[in-house]
Amino acid sequence: NVLGLKFLFSEISQGLLNKTAIAAAVFMLFSNIAIGIFDVTYNKFYLEVLGMTGEDIGTIRPVGMWLGGLIGFSVGLISFYLGKRMLLVAFLVSQILLFIFLSTFNTETSQQLGSLVIIGLDITEAAVKVIIFAILMALCTTQTSATNFGIFMGFANLSTILGNSIAPILMEYLSYDLTYVFAGLSLVPCIVLTFYLTAAKN
């Protein structure tokens, strides 16, 4: 059945124009800024500061992505027992701490530590996505739920673009360490919003 335009917009509005959906949209808008900054800067950082080669970095990323996928699958199951709030906050805090840890790296830092941070960020990113996707799916209950979910994902993509766009500006005026501190702090609003999105009334 084809929905009429008036009904279509009514359903989209019903699903998005409420406090919880707006909070979710803001969450998504902040959620990928840090990763967007990291994606633009990490290659240069690891080459210049840690002395790693492109081949070294290329070997690490698949490991992090595979482990991230496995952790993401496990998180989906674990959340039934520990709750989405606890897990989401734990992984967001872990991501912030990884960026803060990354900000302390210098030429004396071992490549092994550098590799662990890349893997850790891939894992926490995957885990956060799985949990927030589950929360967003619970918000999409109208006949246009797929469209509403797509809008939330659009905000996530916009967040990554924001991070990509901010990164060169940060690198022009700030050092690597302050850039990664900024990246970590950009996730703080997500932690605050997590408590609202996972409240019992929502």
Side-chain angles (χ1 to χ4, degrees), residues 69-145:
L70 293 174
I71 295 295
F73 175 75
S74 302
V75 164
L77 299 175
I78 297 171
S79 66
F80 286 109
Y81 301 97
L82 298 182
K84 295 181 181 71
R85 174 184 291 182
M86 180 185 296
L87 284 177
L88 187 53
V89 170
F91 282 112
L92 286 169
V93 170
S94 298
Q95 203 168 30
I96 291 173
L97 292 177
L98 284 168
F99 277 110
I100 300 299
F101 185 44
L102 186 63
S103 73
T104 67
F105 284 10
N106 54 45
T107 53
E108 297 180 358
T109 303
S110 70
Q111 295 185 2
Q112 287 75 18
L113 278 178
S115 300
L116 287 175
V117 167
I118 290 179
I119 293 171
L121 287 174
D122 283 336
I123 289 173
T124 53
E125 181 189 6
V128 167
K129 282 182 177 177
V130 169
I131 301 170
I132 194 60
F133 284 1
I135 293 172
L136 293 177
M137 288 175 69
L139 297 178
C140 298
T141 56
T142 66
Q143 292 190 52
T144 58
S145 57

Side-chain angles (χ1 to χ4, degrees), residues 17-90:
L17 297 182
N18 60 75
K19 291 181 180 179
T20 305
I22 292 171
V26 175
F27 181 103
M28 299 307 289
L29 193 59
F30 279 92
S31 64
N32 289 339
I33 290 176
I35 293 299
I37 292 171
F38 182 71
D39 284 343
V40 171
T41 61
Y42 85 95
N43 264 309
K44 186 177 180 183
F45 175 74
Y46 274 72
L47 291 171
E48 291 182 355
V49 177
L50 299 186
M52 297 178 70
T53 65
E55 289 77 11
D56 293 332
I57 298 170
T59 302
I60 296 166
R61 291 314 297 267
V63 175
M65 290 175 181
W66 275 106
L67 288 176
L70 293 174
I71 295 295
F73 175 75
S74 302
V75 164
L77 299 175
I78 297 171
S79 66
F80 286 109
Y81 301 97
L82 298 182
K84 295 181 181 71
R85 174 184 291 182
M86 180 185 296
L87 284 177
L88 187 53
V89 170

Side-chain angles (χ1 to χ4, degrees), residues 33 37 161-171 182:
I33 290 176
I37 292 171
I161 293 170
L162 284 173
N164 292 162
S165 302
I166 291 171
I169 299 172
L170 293 175
M171 291 305 300
F182 178 91

